[in-house]
């Protein structure tokens, strides 16, 4: 993990216009985000709906225009590139999508699907049959899967086809959007193990988007927690898990309980409503739901600072094992 | 890693499977039989016809069906069976040709309207709506005025009338699929617009249209017959089911057989294609999957 | 009193490629005032089970045998459509994964909540008051004003809470909740589960809670039923099943939950294989092909073995659990 970063995202913003003529304004789906990913590293973006993680992923992949900032891939700036110029980049950066079966064209066979990257980039002189067999073997599927159609695949199998397609042209970076979505618990491990294994074997860098913090724990080296389009905490996975410093991270961790009926219910409960992007709260944007919020939080935007190896945007980062203060009526709720 | 699950092999192609299912339905079987019969008769009209369709034999007028004239003769003594066979050629070639052309144009325009920029879509919808607001007969009259009564006029009318309908349907489906994840996946792989339309969108939107088209063929036949009936289509002595009907109508007091000869093939072909189309539609209706 | 008692239920569907046995000898009870969870993965038959209970099986499905006894006296398998309609929404109500399954997009929610009460003899004003009260219970802010609004004006989490309010308004004896929080974000899920629990205690109804989210089941449910490929492979109280799983599938399922893994591991456990084709059910144990403890006896269908105090597992080795170290 040394050397120049494969991907460098610098102060990126993605704005969406809203409203009709005469009443136009815009909302920020991604409100200023920076991070780096190095070769062989897995970086996770964690957040719930509305956090901007998928928008950010699509922006990195060039599917979404950004309104500010730069995205640099393998030393080359790729934001704002025209489609033709972006095409060769797409050989080196592959994306996997959320719906395992839905991201596969329904009338194409598995063989056609995994070799499509070759055809798109005019590499048809390769022996596509061999490539199909090779790719399927890499993801643990036998040759006869090549003739199946997506609707004949289970969720886990479809996922693997997606992985095979993503690694077809030997990319250096893979962006995986919710790799375990739609999968049963007993097969989640399949995909995660596969991604880990391929990463080691092929030296891939990965950006994983998910809302499941427990999945992140097992697959990512570093993690960034997103809220309303910003990073609230970033750092090494282990550190973030052992002692989350940002209240939102702590709440997310406690929201995915262990399946143990005897475990004490030390749930950190948040008021359920996420603020609308049209009306971002002043000061720290999380203060409307934060159990530790104080007066300062609604006035001042917290600066990002280093806490125990992590970058946290909070006025009062949590000490390890902190419990929320007793619930009191909060005037802003 | 998981082993492959043993499973019955997938059918070679969805279409073959569908075809077999059509044959299992009684109406479907009937429809296919009629269509095949009609197409066969049209292709081999020359061989099957007993005489030349335009040969006039004034002494043999108004003969009822018999050994020498399977469907009888018309007011000029022409063999109706031969006329019907040749008329079938015209009817079917217009039907299939015009429908084929409408489909191709409609699909292309629909894909462009659905996938392209909003302003282009709005423009095309405007044009489609304008065309659809014209009554068919008026359109027919205008074209006849421009091109004279002829097969060309018929075909043009059919195409212009049908294109907006097909284009609209393709457009709606395209818009729905534009945001599908597999299309986004293709974009992220660097696929060109042409490739996305051709490989990813087209195969998934074309199904319902084919069913509609097969149910539209009788309509096209009716348009051709209608125009010929009114004298706006093929000119005599070229036989057309519509002109035979016209002759029959004019001479109804002498014999009923001319009307029968003209009307029967229209009915049979209409039934055939309609049964076929409806059976296809029922087969592809996901709600009726269970049996 | 047992609110719902399912005994030896067998449901099958006729398909083009043969008869599909969706549920085989399913038995479990939902006692009064208890929350019973049904855990299972795709293909386990949970949807079929609910549809069978509600009398909403598709045309090509049928209940081959077994009984569904409701409130100790109504045999649901023999009720006609009209009688089932009388029960649904009143004595048995449902909440689904997608709240829009319960909410009509073109009618205000107040009007919908009044419509639900059509069988009651209350006056219109009283119905409106009850509707507002229910909305307050599910913590919809500004309940009276909310009555006039339409579903699309609410967020996903709120819509689900409204759906819960609608389901509980008539104080049914049984609430069937089918993955009600699966589509919600984690923090929202937590709030919704707590709400459900509070309401259940208040109204005193029983809840049949279907989910694949083990953590939620462990937290919310008193009893749990584990389903696999259309069979109940294990059932008991949540403590019994989660702390002392006696069926290999349950054991492996719990192992696979990433939340259960404390240390970071590069290799997560999985259950190899796939569920079998239910049109060709094997003779013996349905889990045998994927089971790490299978042996010769498993070629025959295993019995339901009671391992104590109502904890039942459908496995020959149910009363001979593996020692803890062996399952690492």
């Amino acid at each position: 993990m040394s050397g120049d970063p494969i991907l460098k995202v610098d102060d990126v913003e993605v704005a969406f216009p809203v409203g009709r003529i005469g009443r136009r304004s815009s909302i920020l789906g991604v409100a200023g985000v920076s991070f780096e990913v190095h070769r062989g590293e897995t970086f996770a973006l964690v957040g719930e709906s509305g956090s901007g993680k998928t928008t950010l992923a699509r922006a990195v992949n060039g599917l979404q225009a950004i309104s500010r900032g730069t995205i640099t891939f393998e030393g080359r700036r790729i934001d704002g590139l025209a489609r033709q110029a972006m095409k060769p980049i797409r050989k080196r950066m592959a994306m996997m999508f959320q719906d395992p079966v839905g991201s596969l064209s329904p009338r194409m066979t598995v063989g056609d699907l995994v070799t499509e990257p070759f055809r798109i980039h005019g590499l048809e002189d390769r022996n596509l049959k061999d490539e199909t067999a090779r790719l399927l073997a890499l993801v643990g599927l036998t040759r006869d899967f090549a003739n199946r159609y997506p609707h004949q695949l289970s969720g886990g199998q479809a996922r693997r086809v997606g992985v095979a397609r993503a690694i077809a042209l030997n990319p250096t970076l893979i962006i995986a959007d919710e790799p375990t979505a739609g999968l049963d618990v007993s097969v989640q491990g399949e995909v995660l193990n596969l991604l880990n294994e391929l990463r080691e074997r092929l030296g891939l860098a990965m950006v994983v988007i998910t809302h499941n913090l427990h999945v992140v724990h097992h697959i990512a080296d570093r993690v960034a927690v997103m809220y309303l389009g910003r990073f609230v905490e970033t750092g090494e996975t282990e550190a973030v898990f052992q002692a989350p410093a940002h209240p939102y991270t702590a709440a997310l961790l406690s929201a995915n309980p262990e399946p143990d009926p005897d475990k004490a219910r030390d749930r950190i409960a948040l008021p359920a409503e996420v603020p609308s992007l049209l009306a971002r709260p002043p000061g720290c944007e999380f203060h409307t739901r934060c159990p530790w919020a104080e007066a300062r939080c609604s006035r001042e935007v917290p600066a990002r600072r280093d806490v125990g190896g992590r970058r946290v945007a909070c006025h009062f980062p949590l000490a390890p094992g902190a419990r929320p203060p007793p619930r009191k009526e909060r005037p802003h709720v | 890693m998981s082993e492959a699950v043993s499973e019955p092999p997938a059918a070679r192609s969805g279409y073959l499977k569908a075809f077999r299912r059509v044959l299992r339905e009684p109406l479907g079987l009937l429809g296919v039989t009629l269509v095949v019969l009609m197409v066969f008769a049209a292709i081999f009209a020359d061989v099957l016809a007993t005489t030349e369709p335009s040969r006039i034999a004034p002494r043999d007028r108004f003969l009822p069906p018999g050994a020498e004239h399977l469907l009888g003769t018309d007011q000029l003594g022409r063999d109706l069976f031969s006329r019907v066979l040749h008329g079938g050629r015209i009817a079917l070639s217009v039907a299939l040709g015009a429908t084929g052309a409408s489909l191709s144009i409609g699909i292309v325009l629909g894909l462009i309207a659905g996938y392209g920029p909003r302003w282009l879509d709005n423009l095309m919808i405007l044009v489609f709506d304008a065309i659809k607001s014209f009554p068919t007969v008026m359109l027919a009259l205008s074209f006849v005025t421009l091109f004279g009564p002829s097969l060309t006029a018929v075909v043009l009318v059919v195409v212009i009338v049908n294109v907006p309908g097909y284009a609209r349907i393709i457009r709606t489906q395209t818009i729905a699929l534009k945001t599908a994840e597999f299309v986004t996946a293709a974009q992220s792989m660097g696929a060109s617009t042409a490739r996305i339309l051709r490989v990813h969108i087209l195969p998934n939107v074309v199904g319902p249209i084919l069913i509609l088209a097969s149910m539209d063929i009788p309509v096209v036949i009716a348009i051709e017959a209608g125009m010929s009936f009114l004298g706006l289509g093929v000119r005599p002595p070229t036989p057309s089911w519509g002109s035979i009907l016209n002759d029959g109508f004019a001479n109804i007091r002498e014999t009923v057989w001319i009307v029968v000869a003209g009307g029967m093939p229209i009915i049979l072909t209409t039934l055939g294609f309609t049964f076929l189309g409806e059976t296809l539609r029922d087969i592809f209706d996901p709600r009726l999957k269970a049996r | 009193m047992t609110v719902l008692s399912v005994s030896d239920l067998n449901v099958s569907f006729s398909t083009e490629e043969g008869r599909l046995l969706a549920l085989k000898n399913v038995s479990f009870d939902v006692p009064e005032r208890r929350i019973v969870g049904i855990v299972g993965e795709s293909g386990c038959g949970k949807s079929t089970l609910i549809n069978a209970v509600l009398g909403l099986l598709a045309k090509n499905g049928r209940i081959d045998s077994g009984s569904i006894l409701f409130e100790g006296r109504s045999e649901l398998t023999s009720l006609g459509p009209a009688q089932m309609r009388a029960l649904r929404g009143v004595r048995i109500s449902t909440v689904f994964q997608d709240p829009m399954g319960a909410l009509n997009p073109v009618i205000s929610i107040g009007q919908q909540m009044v419509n639900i009460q059509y069988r009651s003899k209350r006056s219109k004003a009283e119905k409106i008051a009850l509707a507002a009260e229910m909305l307050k219970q599910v913590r919809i802010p500004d309940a009276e004003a909310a009555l006039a609004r339409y579903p699309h004006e609410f967020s996903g989490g709120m819509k689900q809470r409204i759906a819960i309010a609608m389901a509980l308004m008539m104080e049914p004896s049984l609430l069937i909740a089918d993955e009600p929080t699966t589509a919600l974000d984690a923090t929202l899920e937590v709030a919704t589960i707590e709400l459900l629990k509070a309401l259940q205690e208040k109204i005193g109804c029983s809840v049949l809670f279907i989910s694949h989210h083990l953590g939620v089941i462990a937290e919310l449910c008193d009893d749990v039923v584990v389903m696999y490929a259309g069979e109940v492979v294990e059932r008991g109280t949540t403590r019994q099943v989660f702390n002392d799983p006696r069926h290999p599938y349950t054991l492996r399922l719990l192992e696979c939950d990433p939340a259960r893994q404390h240390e970071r591991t590069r290799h997560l456990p999985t259950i190899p294989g796939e569920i079998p084709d239910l049109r060709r059910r094997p003779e013996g144990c349905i889990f045998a092909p994927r089971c790490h403890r299978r042996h010769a006896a498993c070629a025959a269908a295993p019995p339901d073995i009671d391992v104590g105090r109502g904890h039942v597992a459908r496995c020959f080795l149910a009363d001979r659990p593996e020692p803890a170290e062996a399952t690492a």
Side-chain angles (χ1 to χ4, degrees):
Chain A
M1 291 185 216
S2 53
D4 284 329
I6 289 221
L7 178 70
K8 190 164 148 69
V9 173
D10 200 8
D11 204 23
V12 160
E13 243 183 43
V14 177
F16 295 107
V18 288
R20 55 187 81 162
I21 306 176
R23 290 203 297 158
R24 282 214 189 282
S25 64
S26 65
I27 57 171
L28 288 177
V30 176
V33 150
S34 307
F35 66 95
E36 288 178 5
V37 183
H38 297 260
R39 197 167 210 288
E41 186 183 31
T42 303
F43 184 78
L45 288 175
V46 176
E48 297 179 305
S49 24
S51 60
K53 56 193 199 297
T54 304
T55 310
L56 180 54
R58 299 176 108 223
V60 168
N61 194 230
L63 294 171
Q64 169 70 52
I66 62 176
S67 48
R68 206 177 76 181
T70 62
I71 302 177
T72 312
F73 178 62
E74 291 189 320
R76 211 185 129 177
R77 219 180 121 170
I78 59 170
D79 54 285
L81 277 187
R83 199 155 38 137
Q84 275 302 100
M86 190 67 187
K87 192 163 167 184
I89 310 263
R90 296 188 182 287
K91 286 196 275 190
R92 328 257 316 136
M93 185 200 308
M95 187 152 169
M96 282 169 52
F97 294 85
Q98 220 173 329
D99 186 344
V101 176
S103 56
L104 304 176
S105 204
R107 287 189 190 269
M108 289 172 73
T109 60
V110 165
D112 288 335
L113 286 163
V114 304
T115 53
E116 186 169 9
F118 293 102
R119 270 176 266 134
I120 290 177
H121 293 277
L123 298 167
E124 280 135 321
D125 52 328
R126 307 252 193 111
N127 186 330
L128 292 181
K129 270 196 138 151
D130 286 345
E131 297 286 352
T132 307
R134 173 182 74 91
L135 290 169
L136 288 180
L138 268 175
V139 300
L141 292 174
T142 58
R143 288 186 105 125
D144 53 307
F145 271 91
N147 294 325
R148 301 254 187 106
Y149 286 89
H151 67 268
Q152 296 170 308
L153 302 173
S154 71
Q157 290 163 341
R159 263 284 169 239
R160 292 184 200 225
V161 172
V163 174
R165 178 170 70 177
I167 60 173
L169 297 181
N170 282 324
T172 47
L173 174 70
I174 291 197
I175 305 174
D177 190 356
E178 302 277 8
T180 56
L183 294 182
D184 288 322
V185 164
S186 64
V187 298
Q188 281 186 130
E190 276 180 26
V191 169
L192 297 176
N193 293 339
L194 177 63
L195 286 174
N196 264 335
E197 190 199 317
L198 286 175
R199 193 185 53 150
E200 274 162 30
R201 242 216 268 190
L202 306 173
L204 294 167
M206 274 206 298
V207 174
V208 174
I209 294 114
T210 180
H211 62 272
N212 189 338
L213 263 177
H214 293 281
V215 161
V216 171
H217 194 194
H218 293 293
I219 192 177
D221 301 302
R222 283 187 303 128
V223 61
V225 179
M226 286 185 80
Y227 187 74
L228 289 187
R230 288 190 224 272
F231 284 176
V232 297
E233 180 166 358
T234 49
E236 305 238 335
T237 315
E238 202 58 50
V240 171
F241 264 76
Q242 294 295 349
H246 194 282
Y248 181 57
T249 315
L252 268 185
L253 266 174
S254 81
N256 257 316
E258 225 187 284
D260 187 339
D262 294 323
K263 201 142 166 103
R265 306 258 179 270
D266 51 359
R267 179 63 55 67
I268 299 175
L270 296 180
E273 291 315 308
V274 183
S276 154
L277 289 175
L278 284 163
R280 285 173 175 270
C284 169
E285 292 176 336
F286 186 60
H287 82 260
T288 57
R289 302 171 75 198
C290 183
W292 286 270
E294 300 193 18
R296 186 181 173 200
C297 303
S298 57
R299 289 194 309 257
E300 232 180 280
V301 176
R304 243 176 285 261
R305 40 195 165 124
D306 284 311
V307 173
R310 282 151 294 149
R311 289 189 75 70
V312 184
C314 179
H315 290 304
F316 308 103
L318 301 175
R323 301 295 320 139
R327 239 187 207 162
K328 48 185 193 272
E329 288 312 315
R330 283 186 284 275
H332 51 256
V333 164
Chain B
M1 297 293 171
S2 79
E3 341 78 49
V5 178
S6 53
E7 218 186 270
R12 271 275 106 204
S13 148
Y15 291 114
L16 205 62
K17 206 168 169 193
F19 188 60
R20 281 208 290 264
R21 284 179 71 181
V22 167
L23 291 179
R24 280 210 292 256
E25 294 293 326
L27 276 187
L29 188 57
L30 187 58
V32 170
T33 312
L34 285 173
V35 167
V36 166
L37 213 62
M38 289 300 171
V39 169
F40 182 78
I43 296 177
F44 294 105
D46 291 322
V47 173
L48 295 167
T50 43
T51 62
E52 258 184 50
S54 311
R55 204 179 70 147
I56 300 180
R59 272 174 301 145
D60 295 330
R61 319 160 72 197
F62 301 126
L63 287 178
E68 216 189 293
H69 299 283
L70 287 172
L71 288 175
T73 59
D74 67 359
Q75 77 279 16
L76 293 176
R78 295 178 290 201
D79 175 40
L80 282 173
F81 182 59
S82 311
R83 285 184 73 75
V84 163
L85 284 177
H86 280 88
R89 237 187 215 181
I90 292 177
L92 282 169
S93 52
V94 167
L96 295 172
T99 306
S102 330
L103 269 181
S104 318
I105 301 177
I107 288 176
V108 169
L109 291 182
L111 285 175
I112 296 175
Y115 200 77
R118 199 72 188 280
W119 61 265
L120 186 57
D121 183 28
N122 290 338
L123 182 63
M124 290 174 89
I125 293 289
L126 201 64
V127 171
F128 293 157
D129 285 344
I131 295 177
K132 277 164 80 162
S133 58
F134 269 93
T136 312
V137 177
M138 284 209 56
L139 214 50
L141 283 174
S142 341
F143 276 97
V144 164
T145 316
L146 280 172
F147 295 101
S150 64
L151 218 49
T152 320
V154 175
V155 170
L156 274 172
V157 168
V158 167
V159 169
I160 302 233
V161 159
N162 278 337
V163 161
Y166 295 148
R168 254 254 153 97
I169 294 176
I170 295 278
R171 168 193 172 266
T172 314
Q173 309 254 73
T174 305
I175 290 180
L177 275 188
K178 212 164 44 163
T179 51
E181 235 169 54
F182 63 88
V183 171
T184 317
Q187 289 166 344
S188 102
M189 287 190 280
S192 63
T193 304
R195 183 184 171 86
I196 291 180
L197 286 176
R198 183 173 46 93
V199 172
H200 294 281
I201 297 195
L202 180 59
N204 292 306
V205 301
V206 94
I209 281 244
L210 292 178
I211 297 174
L212 266 180
S214 74
M215 305 211 331
D216 272 345
I217 287 181
V219 174
V220 175
I221 292 178
I223 293 180
E224 185 273 317
M227 284 178 73
S228 303
F229 181 85
L230 293 173
L232 302 173
V234 285
R235 318 209 68 199
T238 321
S240 148
W241 293 343
S243 55
I244 297 175
L245 255 185
N246 194 358
D247 293 339
F249 185 65
N251 294 291
I252 193 83
R253 282 177 220 253
E254 310 292 341
T255 174
V256 75
W257 290 109
I258 309 180
V259 168
V260 169
M264 271 287 291
I266 299 180
I267 294 176
L268 286 178
T269 319
T270 304
L271 282 179
F273 277 103
T274 307
F275 288 157
L276 181 59
E278 285 196 359
T279 311
L280 277 175
R281 190 199 58 205
D282 287 346
I283 286 177
F284 283 110
D285 186 343
R287 279 166 294 170
L288 299 179
K289 263 292 141 66
R291 186 168 279 279
Chain C
M1 194 255 297
T2 309
V3 166
L4 188 72
S5 180
V6 177
S7 317
D8 282 327
L9 188 64
N10 284 283
V11 172
S12 64
F13 291 89
S14 53
T15 69
E16 282 209 347
E17 283 116 343
R19 195 138 199 100
L20 193 153
L21 295 154
L23 293 179
K24 183 168 165 200
N25 289 340
V26 167
S27 304
F28 66 92
D29 289 333
V30 180
E32 236 182 339
R33 310 185 80 98
R34 302 273 282 185
I35 305 184
V36 175
I38 299 193
V39 171
E41 303 185 294
S42 27
C44 73
K46 350 186 254 265
S47 314
T48 310
L49 178 58
I50 302 177
N51 287 334
V53 169
L54 292 171
L56 293 174
L57 280 178
K59 271 206 205 88
N60 63 332
R62 67 156 194 251
I63 298 180
D64 292 324
S65 66
S67 111
I68 307 175
L69 195 62
F70 180 61
E71 287 182 322
R73 52 202 160 115
S74 311
E75 176 49 61
L76 298 185
T77 54
S78 57
L79 290 186
Q83 292 158 310
M84 281 311 297
R85 265 201 299 271
L87 279 181
R88 290 196 290 260
V90 182
R91 314 291 314 137
I92 307 179
S93 54
T94 23
V95 177
F96 292 99
Q97 186 172 332
D98 180 5
M100 286 317 287
L103 298 172
N104 187 326
V106 300
I107 304 181
S108 73
I109 61 165
Q111 186 59 51
Q112 294 188 50
M113 291 180 85
V114 164
N115 288 347
I116 290 177
Q117 303 176 59
Y118 74 97
R119 294 181 191 103
S120 123
K121 307 279 192 295
R122 301 188 191 103
S123 72
K124 180 120 187 230
E126 284 172 331
K127 289 183 187 175
I128 294 180
L130 178 60
E133 178 56 38
M134 284 308 297
L135 288 185
K136 286 203 187 86
Q137 298 257 358
V138 297
R139 289 186 233 134
I140 299 283
D142 210 3
E144 276 87 8
L147 288 174
R149 298 218 289 267
Y150 290 80
H152 68 266
E153 300 180 55
F154 295 92
S155 70
M158 283 189 152
K159 278 192 284 210
Q160 194 61 296
R161 279 185 275 162
I162 296 173
I164 292 175
M166 287 167 76
L168 292 176
M169 198 161 56
M170 302 304 286
E171 305 208 348
S173 24
L174 178 65
L175 171 69
I176 300 182
D178 186 3
E179 309 255 18
T181 54
T182 303
L184 301 176
D185 284 327
T187 49
L188 214 49
E189 186 169 28
V190 167
T192 311
I193 296 296
E194 306 217 323
L195 183 68
L196 205 50
K197 209 169 185 178
L199 283 174
Q200 183 262 345
E201 271 179 38
K202 190 147 187 232
I203 297 180
C205 59
S206 302
V207 178
L208 192 59
F209 188 89
I210 292 101
S211 177
H212 61 270
H213 193 164
L214 295 170
V216 165
I217 298 262
E219 164 134 357
L220 177 70
C221 303
D222 303 307
D223 304 316
V224 66
V225 171
V226 181
M227 287 187 73
Y228 177 77
E231 297 188 34
V232 170
V233 296
E234 187 160 359
R235 60 190 147 99
T237 66
T238 319
R239 275 208 176 72
Q240 286 169 336
V241 175
F242 277 64
N243 289 342
D244 184 22
R246 294 303 185 98
H247 192 284
Y249 174 65
T250 316
L251 193 81
R252 300 291 287 223
L253 192 62
L254 288 169
E255 271 176 13
C256 289
D257 191 344
R260 195 107 149 153
Q261 311 285 324
H262 291 286
E263 285 123 44
R264 196 152 169 233
T265 165
R266 284 288 156 153
H267 198 94
L268 283 166
T270 64
I271 305 181
E274 316 257 323
I275 67 167
D277 186 345
L278 296 182
R279 290 173 297 225
R280 280 179 283 270
R281 285 193 105 102
E283 285 297 315
C285 172
I286 192 103
F287 186 61
R290 305 172 75 186
C291 183
H292 62 288
R293 295 186 81 194
R294 77 165 168 273
H295 55 285
C298 304
D304 284 333
I305 298 186
D306 186 327
V307 299
R309 285 173 302 138
H311 182 184
V312 177
R314 188 172 284 184
C315 176
F316 287 107
L317 300 173
D319 44 12
R320 271 173 289 160
E322 288 173 284
E325 317 88 63
T327 64

